Amino acid sequence: MNPDRYAPIGVFDSGLGGLTVVREIMRNLPDERLVYFGDTARVPYGSKSKATVIRYSRQIVRFLRTQKVKAIVIACNTASALALDTIKPEIDIPIIGVVRPGTDMAVKATKNKRIGVIATESTIRSGLYQRLIREADGEIAVFAKACPLFVPLVEEGWTRDPVTKIVAERYLEDLLKQRIDTLIMGCTHYPLLRSLLQEVAGTDVTLINPAYETAQALGRMLNENGILNDGQIEVGERYRFFASDTVERFNAFANSILPYEITTTQVPIESY
Ligand code: DGL
């Protein structure tokens, strides 16, 4: 039996948003232990360059390795789009991002072969969602739109606010004119806007939450590597949370979206 089976999974994000991915992993793989790192001191990644996001992601991976993780999930869409391909060959444990699972789900869901993608500026500029969809099915037309105002609106807690609705109508206008039938919420924060986005897009548009499919794909990846936790042995704390900035805001947000009360430890990430 592989002893790594009982080690935790490392999950990281630029800040708080990756907790939407944690929530899906907790639901789908309740026996797994998790170590989460949120880079709250350096958020947002969504407007930063590829070189910077790779440097930050490498530091976080080094930190997670000190926590003896058996696998890593890049919960951040921007880091998945900009850094996963570089980091994957540099480490000897399985690693997965959220972009490919989200793409797979959207390609399966579309009937009229017209998919919209909304994400941060850096994710859209990377073109990864667009490329992976076209590679999966060359007949699918992809329409992409950066929505930089959504992240601060969600962090402000304005997920049902009329202001956010007006912003969403403006952002989605062009995509809806293109008659998309599937919309990828390609940023950690957007699933928290799900009901508002559904209202604006209409019930004919299927919303895709990459976090959901990532949790499924993670289960398959752990199984293939023989390191799926069977829950037979209780070792240490189940969930541990770390952040690079002070933790009060992180705890408040986490406790509003997770089914568990959590505490967080601050980490000097620049030293990794
Ligand atoms: N976590 C980022 C993402 O999913 C959104 C926040 C940011 O810009 O860092 O792209």
Side-chain angles (χ1 to χ4, degrees):
M1 184 177 58
N2 192 330
D4 280 352
R5 182 180 287 268
Y6 301 106
I9 298 163
V11 182
F12 79 86
D13 177 48
S14 55
L16 304 161
L19 294 170
T20 59
V21 180
V22 164
R23 194 170 61 173
E24 294 301 332
I25 298 172
M26 286 174 169
R27 266 189 208 138
N28 191 48
L29 301 167
D31 289 329
E32 295 297 339
R33 299 168 60 213
L34 302 176
V35 173
Y36 181 88
F37 178 84
D39 201 357
T40 45
R42 304 187 293 195
V43 68
Y45 284 12
S47 52
K48 295 203 169 66
S49 69
K50 185 174 168 102
T52 298
V53 173
I54 289 173
R55 186 168 75 78
Y56 289 175
S57 302
R58 280 192 177 125
Q59 285 176 328
I60 297 167
V61 166
R62 283 197 284 271
F63 164 71
L64 290 173
R65 300 296 309 255
T66 67
Q67 302 299 306
K68 306 272 178 284
V69 298
K70 64 180 176 182
I72 291 176
V73 179
I74 306 186
C76 177
N77 284 259
T78 307
S80 299
L82 271 52
L84 176 62
D85 285 353
T86 305
I87 286 178
K88 199 173 182 164
E90 297 175 351
I91 59 174
D92 58 1
I93 56 172
I95 181 165
I96 185 175
V98 287
V99 173
R100 188 174 283 279
T103 306
D104 292 347
M105 211 176 158
V107 167
K108 270 186 224 139
T110 184
K111 296 201 170 59
N112 72 357
K113 294 191 187 278
R114 300 177 81 77
I115 297 178
V117 183
I118 51 174
T120 64
E121 276 167 337
S122 298
T123 300
I124 296 297
R125 208 178 327 113
S126 79
L128 187 63
Y129 269 113
Q130 299 91 312
R131 180 161 64 76
L132 291 181
I133 291 169
R134 287 195 200 100
E135 276 172 19
D137 183 342
E139 286 179 13
I140 295 179
V142 193
F143 305 93
K145 177 84 181 166
C147 304
L149 293 176
F150 280 162
V151 168
L153 286 168
V154 169
E155 296 210 351
E156 197 61 35
W158 291 12
T159 51
R160 297 287 322 158
D161 196 280
V163 169
T164 312
K165 189 162 184 208
I166 292 170
V167 172
E169 279 163 357
R170 177 83 73 90
Y171 278 147
L172 296 191
E173 192 180 354
D174 289 346
L175 301 181
L176 296 172
K177 271 191 201 141
Q178 295 296 338
R179 292 178 296 105
I180 57 163
D181 73 348
T182 303
L183 178 64
I184 301 178
M185 299 182 284
C187 171
T188 46
H189 290 59
Y190 300 178
L192 298 169
L193 295 174
R194 182 176 201 121
S195 58
L196 186 136
L197 291 171
Q198 192 78 69
E199 224 173 281
V200 172
T203 45
D204 292 346
V205 175
T206 305
L207 297 185
I208 301 294
N209 178 2
Y212 175 80
E213 185 58 24
T214 300
Q216 311 284 325
L218 172 64
R220 291 193 293 273
M221 182 178 86
L222 296 175
N223 203 14
E224 279 156 21
N225 285 275
I227 52 174
L228 190 68
N229 193 332
D230 54 16
Q232 305 257 319
I233 299 178
E234 264 309 324
V235 268
E237 269 172 296
R238 175 146 299 201
Y239 304 125
R240 279 179 295 147
F241 293 85
F242 297 89
S244 49
D245 204 354
T246 48
V247 300
E248 292 71 22
R249 196 156 170 264
F250 185 94
N251 283 338
F253 186 85
N255 290 326
S256 75
I257 72 160
L258 293 179
Y260 301 86
E261 189 77 12
I262 70 146
T263 54
T264 310
T265 308
Q266 191 172 354
V267 174
I269 197 65
E270 286 287 353
S271 64
Y272 285 86

